[in-house]
């Protein structure tokens, strides 16, 4: 048994190293797949009436220009094609995969996708990631109901606490102008009262002077 164990030790070590290499290769493959899809968007709702890829490109360019005012040049698109097989009835158009040369144009469209009316745009995720995102969607809604900042990043749910310090600062800055507005009113209210008092004293002096003049005249 000891001899058998001695013979098995190098085989076990070799298996461990092979497992580590396979895991590393799988991670590299996943990374390459993710990078390949990173500049892609999936467009839904584009009418399937084009005869060539150029016609499809013109339709998409016009839609983005008219609805979200984004210009797309032909050299900015790396690849453009329909996904899946065309249905026999042809009532429902197939989604379009649009691959850009760089990510900045794709990010610009994703940021403004809520303003699109005729079409709908999503990012290009693998099937397993799409399944995870669907599962996390319910949890995302619950976290937002609690008043937290929640969003999906690839296949993970990111949850952050609401920053209350900014709200306090906003309240303080918004309340300070109101307090300053009331100060001039108090000053304006006190100034006329002093003037009225001065006028009253002047009237009393004038009356007293007139009375003294009358008395002196009578005595004379």
């Amino acid at each position: 048994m000891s001899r058998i164990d001695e013979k098995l030790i190098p085989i076990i070590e070799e298996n461990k190293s092979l497992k580590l290499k396979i895991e590393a290769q799988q991670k590299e493959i996943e990374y390459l797949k993710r990078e390949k899809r990173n500049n892609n968007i999936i467009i839904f709702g584009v009418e399937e009436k084009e005869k060539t890829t150029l016609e499809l490109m013109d339709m998409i360019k016009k839609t983005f220009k008219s609805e979200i005012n984004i210009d797309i040049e032909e050299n900015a698109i790396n690849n453009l094609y329909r996904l899946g097989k065309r249905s026999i009835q042809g009532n429902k158009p197939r989604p379009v995969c649009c691959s850009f040369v760089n990510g900045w144009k794709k990010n610009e469209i994703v940021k403004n996708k809520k303003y699109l009316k005729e079409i709908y745009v999503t990012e290009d995720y693998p099937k397993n990631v799409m399944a995870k995102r669907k599962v996390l969607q319910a949890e995302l809604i619950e976290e937002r109901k609690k008043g937290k900042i929640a969003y999906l990043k690839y296949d993970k749910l990111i949850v952050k606490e609401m920053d209350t310090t900014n709200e306090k600062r906003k309240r303080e800055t918004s309340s300070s102008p109101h307090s300053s507005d009331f100060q001039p009113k108090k000053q304006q209210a006190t100034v006329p009262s002093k003037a009225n008092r001065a006028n009253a004293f002047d009237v009393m002096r004038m009356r007293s002077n007139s009375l003294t003049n009358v008395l002196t005249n009578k005595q004379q």
Side-chain angles (χ1 to χ4, degrees):
M1 292 294 294
S2 61
R3 289 178 181 177
I4 293 171
D5 292 336
E6 290 177 359
K7 291 180 180 179
L8 288 174
I9 288 172
I11 296 173
I12 293 170
E13 293 297 327
E14 187 178 358
N15 287 334
K16 287 181 181 180
S17 63
L18 287 172
K19 285 181 180 180
L20 292 174
K21 288 181 181 179
I22 292 169
E23 289 177 0
Q25 288 178 354
Q26 287 177 347
K27 289 180 180 179
E28 289 179 2
I29 292 169
E30 290 295 327
Y31 176 78
L32 292 172
K33 286 181 179 180
R34 186 171 177 175
E35 285 295 313
K36 185 180 179 181
R37 296 172 180 261
N38 196 29
N39 296 335
N40 297 356
I41 58 171
I42 307 299
I43 308 169
F44 298 88
V46 181
E47 293 184 8
E48 199 165 350
K49 59 182 181 180
E50 75 280 355
K51 294 181 180 179
T52 61
T53 306
L54 289 175
E55 290 181 1
L56 178 61
M57 186 181 296
D58 290 336
M59 290 168 59
I60 291 172
K61 287 168 60 179
K62 289 178 182 177
T63 304
F64 284 132
K65 178 62 178 177
S66 61
E67 294 194 8
I68 55 178
N69 195 24
I70 293 178
D71 293 315
I72 299 176
E73 299 178 356
E74 292 183 2
N75 56 5
I77 297 176
N78 187 30
N79 199 1
L80 186 71
Y81 55 92
R82 296 269 182 183
L83 297 174
K85 295 181 180 180
R86 189 168 187 172
S87 61
I88 299 172
Q89 296 178 354
N91 296 329
K92 188 177 181 181
R94 292 175 294 169
V96 179
C97 179
C98 182
S99 178
F100 292 98
V101 176
N102 49 46
W104 68 270
K105 183 64 71 174
K106 171 238 179 180
N107 293 331
E108 187 180 4
I109 293 171
V110 171
K111 287 180 181 178
N112 295 280
K113 67 177 184 178
K114 59 183 178 181
Y115 301 109
L116 293 168
K117 297 177 182 179
E118 295 182 1
I119 61 175
Y120 178 72
V121 172
T122 62
E123 296 189 55
D124 187 13
Y125 297 116
K127 290 183 179 180
N128 59 337
V129 176
M130 289 294 292
K132 289 181 181 179
R133 289 174 68 89
K134 285 182 180 180
V135 173
L136 294 172
Q137 195 69 32
E139 190 175 350
L140 170 70
I141 296 170
E142 291 295 326
E143 294 295 335
R144 286 181 177 177
K145 286 180 180 179
K146 295 177 184 178
K148 297 180 181 180
I149 300 172
Y151 57 92
L152 294 176
K153 187 175 181 180
Y154 200 66
D155 60 346
K156 294 180 181 179
L157 176 63
I158 308 298
V159 181
K160 296 180 180 179
E161 294 291 338
M162 189 71 72
D163 190 6
T164 56
T165 56
N166 292 331
E167 291 184 358
K168 289 181 180 178
R169 289 176 183 174
K170 288 180 181 178
R171 289 176 184 175
E172 289 176 358
T173 53
S174 62
S175 60
S176 58
H178 294 291
S179 60
S180 62
D181 291 340
F182 289 118
Q183 291 177 358
K185 292 181 181 178
K186 291 181 180 179
Q187 294 175 356
Q188 290 175 1
T190 54
V191 170
S193 63
K194 291 180 180 179
N196 292 332
R197 288 178 184 176
N199 292 331
F201 284 121
D202 291 338
V203 171
M204 293 296 290
R205 286 175 184 174
M206 291 174 64
R207 287 180 180 178
S208 63
N209 292 331
S210 62
L211 287 172
T212 53
N213 292 329
V214 170
L215 291 173
T216 55
N217 290 329
K218 284 181 179 181
Q219 289 175 358
Q220 292 175 356

